[in-house]
Amino acid sequence: MGRGHYIAAMAIREIISLPDKRLRLVSKPVEQVTREIRTLADDMLESMYDAPGIGLAAIQLAVPLRLVTMDLSKKEGETNPRVFINPEVLTSSEDFSVYEEGCLSIPEYYEEVERPAKVRIRYMDLDGKVHEEDAEGLFATCIQHEIDHLNGVLFIDYLSKLKRDRVMKKFTKAARLAAK
Ligand code: NI
């Protein structure tokens, strides 16, 4: 099938951003991998690549379901699309690592966040198969960031109140100006 068909089958959806209150919703588990879930996963990947970003949670497309997409491939022209359904952290390491994080729902804002350096996760794939996997490095940081989204938690929640208030104020003001 030609590229045209492929593109037509997927859709880029709008990524919601601060101060949208839906980002604070707790997402519901995916009960069954239906055609709608597959379409949602495709749209999430497409929207994530378009942004561009390396990770996305369904709530960022205003869908409160426990679904995460990710692509951590580093090489130019290489892709490694991954889908995590109902992902959860089983265990976390006691050692921490620090990454400068950003979020497609908090555009152009980056801050260092400290998280467990390694986590063991469990998730379901698009075939309904359950997997357990060890994550470290950027993968560990990214999956923790995305699982936080499923619980209505944002990376700015780990910053000082002063920094968080400043970001909220900036985005609230920008949204007000855009609405005028
Ligand atoms: Ni994010």
Side-chain angles (χ1 to χ4, degrees):
M1 199 181 282
R3 188 175 160 79
H5 284 108
Y6 180 67
I7 297 286
M10 296 164 90
I12 293 165
R13 302 194 207 176
E14 191 199 343
I15 295 173
I16 62 172
S17 59
L18 279 187
D20 197 311
K21 288 193 169 60
R22 289 172 291 183
L23 290 168
R24 294 304 189 177
L25 290 175
V26 176
S27 295
K28 292 197 167 60
V30 173
E31 303 286 353
Q32 215 184 340
V33 184
T34 58
R35 205 177 57 178
E36 284 73 24
I37 293 296
R38 287 171 199 280
T39 302
L40 175 60
D42 281 348
D43 289 355
M44 285 172 64
L45 283 166
E46 193 75 346
S47 306
M48 183 184 83
Y49 286 129
D50 177 68
I54 58 171
L56 193 74
I59 190 59
Q60 294 180 274
L61 298 186
V63 181
L65 286 174
R66 302 186 85 83
L67 193 62
V68 164
T69 56
M70 200 179 289
D71 191 331
L72 300 179
S73 59
K74 286 195 191 84
K75 281 186 197 141
E76 184 98 22
E78 204 174 83
T79 59
N80 180 28
R82 300 200 60 185
V83 177
F84 303 87
I85 301 169
N86 303 333
E88 56 182 318
V89 172
L90 299 175
T91 53
S92 306
S93 66
E94 276 168 31
D95 55 317
F96 288 79
S97 64
V98 176
Y99 269 94
E100 189 176 70
E101 296 190 23
C103 181
L104 293 176
S105 294
I106 313 171
E108 285 160 52
Y109 183 77
Y110 305 91
E111 274 290 345
E112 288 189 339
V113 177
E114 190 182 79
R115 298 182 188 269
K118 293 175 192 163
V119 288
R120 184 163 183 83
I121 59 162
R122 181 193 288 150
Y123 64 95
M124 190 165 74
D125 65 20
L126 283 171
D127 296 318
K129 214 174 143 205
V130 175
H131 302 266
E132 281 189 21
E133 192 173 337
D134 291 311
E136 58 180 332
L138 182 59
F139 181 27
T141 290
C142 196
I143 196 69
Q144 289 176 82
H145 175 120
E146 301 310 332
I147 290 173
D148 273 353
H149 272 299
L150 307 182
N151 297 319
V153 174
L154 300 170
F155 85 91
I156 54 170
D157 299 346
Y158 297 97
L159 309 179
S160 68
K161 189 180 182 305
L162 183 76
K163 279 185 180 171
R164 191 167 56 249
D165 286 350
R166 205 183 286 154
V167 177
M168 281 309 296
K169 221 169 130 182
K170 186 184 147 197
F171 279 89
T172 304
K173 195 177 160 189
R176 209 162 40 223
L177 287 172
K180 272 185 185 164

